[in-house]
């Protein structure tokens, strides 16, 4: 099992989403390397460096799980099996998304993590692999 990159996941009000993206782009001096709009007007996503911003509209605010990090991996099925075998609990099964697949797993200490396997990998997201 190999975790390639850890992202801090930050939920922001959708009305402040673009402002937040610009802030982190300035902070890291890097443009967002990922931008998605899974639900127009309700859910927007951007990754700037190691920060995953999730813009959430009022209609979806209560539906967002308390996920604070995302672990980027290869072979998600294998990772899920290994992490669960080590005592973690699968909260949401592997689900296909626009960028690949993800699963939500609660670690034994209570941390809820989104494990993600991207179909098209960004070379900058392999910082923990070297």
């Amino acid at each position: 099992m190999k975790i390639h990159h850890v992202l801090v996941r930050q939920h922001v009000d959708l009305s402040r989403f673009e402002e937040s993206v610009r802030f982190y782009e300035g902070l890291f001096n890097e443009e967002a390397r990922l931008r998605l709009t899974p639900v127009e007007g309700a859910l927007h996503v951007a990754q700037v460096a190691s920060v995953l911003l999730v813009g959430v509209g009022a209609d979806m605010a209560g539906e967002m799980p308390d996920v604070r990090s995302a672990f980027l991996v290869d072979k998600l099925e294998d990772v899920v099996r290994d992490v669960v075998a080590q005592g973690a609990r699968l909260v949401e099964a592997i689900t296909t998304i626009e960028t690949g697949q993800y699963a939500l797993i609660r670690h034994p200490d209570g941390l809820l993590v989104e494990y993600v396997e991207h179909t098209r990998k960004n070379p900058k997201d392999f910082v923990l692999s070297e």
Side-chain angles (χ1 to χ4, degrees):
M1 174 176 70
K2 184 70 175 173
I3 296 170
H4 295 293
H5 199 76
V6 176
L7 304 177
V8 174
R9 186 172 149 145
Q10 176 63 15
H11 297 170
V12 297
D13 187 271
L14 192 55
S15 66
R16 301 192 68 202
F17 179 73
E18 289 302 326
E19 173 188 341
S20 294
V21 171
R22 283 191 305 276
F23 171 81
Y24 286 101
E25 286 177 331
L27 183 66
F28 288 101
N29 193 31
E30 179 179 311
E31 287 186 21
R33 65 178 79 152
L34 172 72
R35 276 188 171 267
L36 303 170
T37 306
V39 182
E40 183 61 50
L43 187 64
H44 295 199
V45 178
Q47 179 188 346
V48 180
S50 295
V51 178
L52 185 67
L53 297 162
V54 180
V56 183
D59 292 348
M60 293 190 75
E63 298 176 33
M64 296 304 295
D66 189 30
V67 178
R68 293 292 167 225
S69 60
F71 291 3
L72 302 183
V73 302
D74 281 332
K75 301 178 183 160
L76 182 61
E77 284 186 33
D78 294 347
V79 171
V80 168
R81 184 190 62 244
D82 292 349
V83 173
V84 169
Q86 293 179 46
R89 183 173 55 87
L90 183 63
V91 173
E92 187 173 327
I94 295 174
T95 303
T96 300
I97 54 176
E98 185 176 341
T99 57
Q101 303 179 62
Y102 82 97
L104 290 181
I105 298 177
R106 187 166 305 278
H107 292 182
D109 63 0
L111 179 66
L112 184 59
V113 177
E114 177 182 41
Y115 282 80
V116 181
E117 179 182 348
H118 283 159
T119 306
R120 292 183 317 265
K121 295 164 180 53
N122 187 313
K124 291 182 178 181
D125 286 336
F126 281 77
V127 296
L128 299 179
S129 300
E130 301 167 350

